[in-house]
């Protein structure tokens, strides 16, 4: 999404940071941004912003929904800061370890 919604000449930065709880992945872009009234919907399946057709968006609206599901399954959190025409910052925090169910029980 960061690449898709950032125009030519814009910038997409990716950072991976160690934090006390585990790791933080941050993707920041100088792209189209997301309007405040659309922010509550960004993780909904098949949801695409009102400006999507005019901004090279040919996707299904599943990307952020899938990302949130994966982050949730790993016990992490995802946060988005954005404003229309101001770019977007997505931050994902993942814990050092998680409990994983397996046929033999639970392992950490």
């Amino acid at each position: 999404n960061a690449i898709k919604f950032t125009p030519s000449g814009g910038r997409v930065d990716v950072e991976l940071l160690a934090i006390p709880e585990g790791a933080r992945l941050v993707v920041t872009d100088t792209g189209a941004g997301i309007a405040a009234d659309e922010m509550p919907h960004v993780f909904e399946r098949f949801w695409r912003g009102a400006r999507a057709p005019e901004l090279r968006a040919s996707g299904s609206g599943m990307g952020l929904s899938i990302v949130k599901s994966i982050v949730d399954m790993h016990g992490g959190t995802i946060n988005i800061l954005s404003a229309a025409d101001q770019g977007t910052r997505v931050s994902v925090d993942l814990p050092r370890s998680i409990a994983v169910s397996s046929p033999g029980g639970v392992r950490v």
Side-chain angles (χ1 to χ4, degrees), residues 28-47:
T28 306
D29 68 53
T30 59
I34 304 165
D37 63 327
E38 295 182 345
M39 288 296 290
H41 306 285
V42 297
F43 295 119
E44 293 176 11
R45 290 183 186 184
F46 307 113
W47 183 83

Side-chain angles (χ1 to χ4, degrees), residues 33-84:
I34 304 165
D37 63 327
E38 295 182 345
M39 288 296 290
H41 306 285
V42 297
F43 295 119
E44 293 176 11
R45 290 183 186 184
F46 307 113
W47 183 83
R48 295 175 63 207
R51 295 178 57 200
E54 69 188 63
L55 296 170
R56 299 179 20 207
S58 59
S60 64
M62 290 292 292
L64 287 174
S65 174
I66 291 170
V67 169
K68 182 160 180 8
S69 293
I70 292 169
V71 170
D72 288 348
M73 284 188 284
H74 284 85
T77 59
I78 183 169
N79 293 295
I80 298 181
L81 296 174
S82 189

Side-chain angles (χ1 to χ4, degrees), residues 8 11 50 89:
S8 179
R11 187 175 170 134
R89 181 179 194 266

